Structures are given as C-alpha cells and as structure tokens.
Amino acid sequence: MLEQASQPEKALLLFGRYGERLNRLTLASNSLEKWLLPFTQVLPTANSFPRLNILYVSSGKKSQVPHEFVQWLVTVAPDRPQPSGSTSSEDTCTETSQQAIKTSTILARLRILLLYNVTLQPQDWELLIKAIDLSVLEDLHLHSTNFSSTQLDLLLERIAAADAKSVSLKLLQIGSTELLVDAERPALQTRILKAAPQMIIVGL
C-alpha cells in the first residue's frame, strides 16, 4: 500500500519493485489535484499491477481527479514484449490464464473502489461507471464526492441491463454527495433498492 509519495519518481520506483505483488493501493494527499497530475505522467502500465483489486483515492482538501488518471484506470494496457522462442504447454496455460489480466483495465479488476473528498468531470464519471465490471466490484465508496443523480442513473442502467445473478456490487456509500441534494432520501432509497434490491446503501 502506498499512502503518500512526495515525488512521482519515488512512486515509480516503488511500483517497479512491488507492483506485481500489490493488491491494495491508497493514493492520498492534501492537494490531490496537483499531486496526481505529475504522478500520472510516470505511471506504469496497467499490467504492472496484476493483483491490484482495492483502490483508495482520498484528498484532505476537496480536489479534482485529473482526467489523465481516470483515463489510465479505464485504458487497456499493451502487452509487455515477450521473449522469442518455443513455449511449453505449461507456459501456454499460464499465458492463457494471464490473458484476462493483460487485456483488462485496472478498474475492471477492482473489488473495492473508494473515492473520498474528490470531484470528477461529468465525462470522467461516465468513463469510470461504464468501465466498472459489475461482476467483480463489490464495494463502491463515493463519500464527499460530486456523484449526482446523473451518475446514479447511469449506474442503475448498467445494473438493470446486467444479469442479476452476475452483479457482485453489494455496497454503495453515497454520504455527503450531490446526490443527496438532488433527491429526497426516502424516494432515493426506494429507487436504488428497486433496481438493486441486494444493495446495502450507506450514507442515506
């Protein structure tokens, strides 16, 4: 877990050493907007984190998440160059089992995503929600963000379009979001539970 990094170069060094073993990553700063922008310029490719399934992005002061970071989360990384030569059946099996990782995005692998005290541009919310794998993501924490009824509509549309048995999303944290300004709490809760009766809603 990486909670703070004063320089992007330090973060890059740590990821180079431990990225393949990392299953949880916390990116936290009092000025996340200024800190994440240069950080995205040195981020490794998504397949440098084959085990990452928990991501926390948190800011001490309200900050906007840069588009470049959201784009990194939702972009399929190119495969690393592989050495030439013959491969055994065991190698072939291993390559096959890793193919889903190599052709997926960071966001599609997450079981838990937490965004705290941050804002996203409307187009970035759309990118993020559409890239979530509902069969994998279990907890979505959006406390103190600018998540609103527009984003909720998109999320509920995706849940409704999916096979109910395949949806893993069980918890939605929406405390102190713009969503609570947009709708009355009882009506909002009824609306969410109608679309996703298995969902635990926190923050209403």
Side-chain angles (χ1 to χ4, degrees), residues 11-157:
L12 182 61
L13 177 62
L14 290 173
F15 288 145
R17 290 180 180 176
Y18 306 113
E20 293 188 355
R21 291 182 285 170
L22 198 68
N23 68 346
R24 173 176 171 174
L25 175 62
T26 298
L27 301 172
S29 173
N30 286 327
S31 55
L32 195 69
E33 185 174 357
K34 294 180 180 179
W35 183 80
L36 267 185
L37 188 56
F39 179 79
T40 58
Q41 298 171 359
V42 295
L43 281 172
T45 58
N47 57 29
S48 298
F49 302 97
R51 299 186 181 184
L52 184 65
N53 57 35
I54 300 174
L55 177 64
Y56 294 169
V57 180
S58 175
S59 180
K61 299 178 181 178
K62 185 74 76 173
S63 299
Q64 182 170 305
V65 175
H67 169 74
E68 291 82 357
F69 182 76
V70 177
Q71 192 66 48
W72 178 76
L73 288 177
V74 304
T75 300
V76 176
D79 276 348
R80 297 172 180 173
Q82 299 295 323
S84 59
S86 60
T87 57
S88 65
S89 59
E90 182 177 349
D91 291 337
T92 302
C93 182
T94 300
E95 289 177 5
T96 301
S97 66
Q98 293 297 317
Q99 189 61 30
I101 290 176
K102 290 183 177 182
T103 58
S104 68
T105 68
I106 288 288
L107 198 61
R109 304 174 205 161
L110 296 181
R111 289 190 305 105
I112 300 174
L113 173 62
L114 181 148
L115 302 176
Y116 175 75
N117 207 28
V118 298
T119 63
L120 278 72
Q121 293 288 349
Q123 64 269 26
D124 288 334
W125 274 119
E126 183 175 357
L127 282 173
L128 187 146
I129 294 170
K130 287 184 176 180
I132 288 172
D133 188 337
L134 292 173
S135 68
V136 177
L137 189 69
E138 299 172 3
D139 296 354
L140 181 58
H141 301 258
L142 304 172
H143 194 281
S144 298
T145 68
N146 63 332
F147 185 81
S148 70
S149 57
T150 301
Q151 286 78 50
L152 179 65
D153 288 343
L154 182 56
L155 179 61
L156 295 182
E157 285 174 9

Side-chain angles (χ1 to χ4, degrees), residues 186-197:
L188 181 59
Q189 187 168 21
T190 299
R191 181 181 167 205
I192 296 174
L193 291 178
K194 182 178 180 180

Side-chain angles (χ1 to χ4, degrees), residues 175-201:
S176 299
T177 64
E178 291 186 4
L179 186 61
L180 301 182
V181 178
D182 294 340
E184 294 292 334
R185 290 173 187 256
L188 181 59
Q189 187 168 21
T190 299
R191 181 181 167 205
I192 296 174
L193 291 178
K194 182 178 180 180
Q198 80 286 357
M199 189 104 67
I200 297 173
I201 308 166

